[in-house]
Amino acid sequence: MSFKRSILIAFCLSLVFYAQAQRVGLVLSGGGAKGLAHVGLIQALEENQIPIDYVTGTSIGAIVGSLYAMGLSPDEMMALFLSEDFTYWSTGTIQTKDIDYFRKGDLSPEFFSTYLSLSDSLLSNPRSLVPGSLINASQLNYAFVQVYSQYTALCGGDFDRLFVPFRCVATDVHSKQAVIFKNGRLEDAVRASMSFPLVFNAVSVDSMLLLDGGIYDNYPVKLMQKEFNPDFVIGSNVSIVNSKPSEDDVVSLIEHIIIQPTHFEASPDEFIEFKFDLKDVYLMDFHKALETYQKGYDLGISMIDSLKGIISRRQDPDSLAQKRQAFKANLPELIFDELELTGLNHQQEEFVRRMIGYDKDRRFSLKEFRKAYYAMIADTRISQIIPKVWYNPSTGFFKLKLDIKTEKNLVFALGGNISSSTSNLLYARIGYQRFGKVATYYSADTYIGSIHNALRLNTRWDVAGYIPSYLQASLSVSSFKFYEGEKLFYEELSPAFIQEREILFKLRYGIPAFSQAKFEIGYSVGRISDWYMQSYLSNITRANFDRSYYDLSNFSLRLEKNNLNYRQYPTGGSHYYLLCQYLLGEENYSYPDSVGNRFKESKELGYFQASAAYEGYLNFNKSITLGCILNAVYNNKRSLDNYTASIIQAPAFTPTPYTLSTFNEAFRSNKYAAIGIMPIWTIRPFLHLRSEFYTFMPLDAIKRGPNQETVLSRSFSNTQFLGELSLVFHQPFVSMSLFTNYLSYPKNNWNVGINIGFLIFNKRLVE
């Protein structure tokens, strides 16, 4: 063999050995939703057989990097980011299927609530009014256990034993230093690394209080070199902060303040950077996932030839897929055989164990625990639950530890509705709650407005057990005023032509029924007083009003479930109820004349009323939703003293906030059926255009006789129609809408208005 030939063979062999030894590291920066470009870049690398041997990441880079390190392919990662689950996790919204209606209190128009201890005051501790994070952590806490805990078990807490060795960065709030995660619970590491201040709450790990790693190392290239020392580094940098933040966008301002741009320069033989220009993608713009992914993929493909010229080693896609499958085949099944509770006293722990239904030595799955978890976070006495999981390789089962933080005792809530018409409302509540063997709640609620005023004292006692139950009692005084017309932007109110007042004591006992529904037995007693005019007068004083009042007892049975995603203008979930009421009492009537008020003889009043309703929403895709409403009422109530008394006390069909705030006699009847459809176009996750079309069919329409008596009419001509178009903007604490509607009665009944808030009234004697 010649010398030249020997040299050539040696050179070729050295290239082969070099190619075999060549190791590649991938560095993923932070940057919120921009980080989905990382997935597109990884897709481009894998399609072109570029190997990835190590991964480091910060914030969203830690999320994408950890998923890749766990053996998820780019397609699997995008399926996760585009899933409905991820939408709920990233917004802190509870899925409709997880809403525990049994433990939720009565709907109220509150915007926000805050909790204080008896030793606190708003003046000494004003920060108690400020939420710790914009996004509720409950969904994330559960999601991280679901996604990561089995992989922590598989690698034994050693991130070098993942499918791809992995590191991520968080920030220690106290020491003001970067914290490197190379072992421990994978879910803790990633959860801490992505905890962007204000958006997500800080995380406690090993006595450290941790926030987003982007504060000190948003682009961990040096970490990659220090930990793994690869032959070549690929950097994916999406952390270019948008050039100029909006002065009204608090999250954008914080992003500019805390994320420090990291620049890294190295030899082109050792490092290449993919730098993305994503100025139109902001921190939480996950709805732009596909287009952001595509930009990552496109840039990766455009530079792939440069990479191939430097990285000679190749990774066969089929071989890679087989290795992933083999790695994930060893995942242990997530079954728990032990439960530990911390953060509670003995009585509270006993209450929670009964709520979960946990018996010693009983094994349960994460799916079985899910229902109990969401039941607990629905309880206002619990502020946060942090689930942590440990794997016992000797038994093959997991231990579930719940670190439960309880809320403070005093509760303050504020809310209401701001409207362009008469339906303005201010709502306030002060409450006191105790969490022990029996969970108790006491509150005083106030409603102050143009059409509705109320004061309610309320208490609820919750008992956990095999069949949990509650006992609720309330005492309230409330009034309603309805005016001659609704006009846009009043300068002064028209005179009230109907005034109602109720004094009510209500007692309710409830137990769970079916899937997250509840069955309730109720007893109410009270007086309803109505002041009204039999004919319209130009000069109205209290002396012009007739008065009807009713002393009634109400025995009721109710089956109800409500997991609608919004209190007002929902776009998902369903609500149904079946209500039977038997009312017994007497009717009294007085009227004015030239001498004074004259009283008629009291009459007994007893009747049965049954009502049923269904409201549900079908999501065809992320943009188009169709809602449906069905409502029916039947009662055998006799006609009252006069037409006006009868129509006031007739059940009303009020499917929209506008109809709830107005008195329309054509949409009232003791026997009726109603149907509605609501096509909805979702423009953005929290912005939608909503159309509503309703038909109201009274079986016995109540008509005014020639002498003000009640006349019943059965005719298809009594059918009424309602249509409304509204632009709705939902925020975590408030709902805003701009609407226009048309009602078939009275003639030419067109209305336009604005609502900001929630128009929800106090409960009444006859529901």
Side-chain angles (χ1 to χ4, degrees), residues 6-73:
S6 300
I7 293 295
L8 181 60
I9 293 173
F11 177 73
C12 291
L13 287 174
S14 67
L15 288 179
V16 171
F17 292 142
Y18 175 75
Q20 288 177 342
Q22 194 177 24
R23 311 297 284 176
V24 179
L26 177 65
V27 180
L28 306 176
S29 78
K34 301 182 187 72
L36 298 191
H38 295 323
V39 187
L41 174 60
I42 293 172
Q43 180 76 60
L45 297 177
E46 286 204 352
E47 285 182 0
N48 287 274
Q49 303 184 35
I50 303 296
I52 299 172
D53 301 296
Y54 314 104
V55 181
T56 61
T58 297
S59 197
I60 186 67
I63 296 175
V64 174
S66 63
L67 295 175
Y68 188 78
M70 286 156 42
L72 271 67
S73 68

Side-chain angles (χ1 to χ4, degrees), residues 40 212 403 425 519 628 630-631 645 675 687 744:
D212 194 293
D403 183 12
L425 183 69
F519 178 73
C628 173
L630 302 171
N631 190 198
I675 186 171
L687 178 68
S744 57

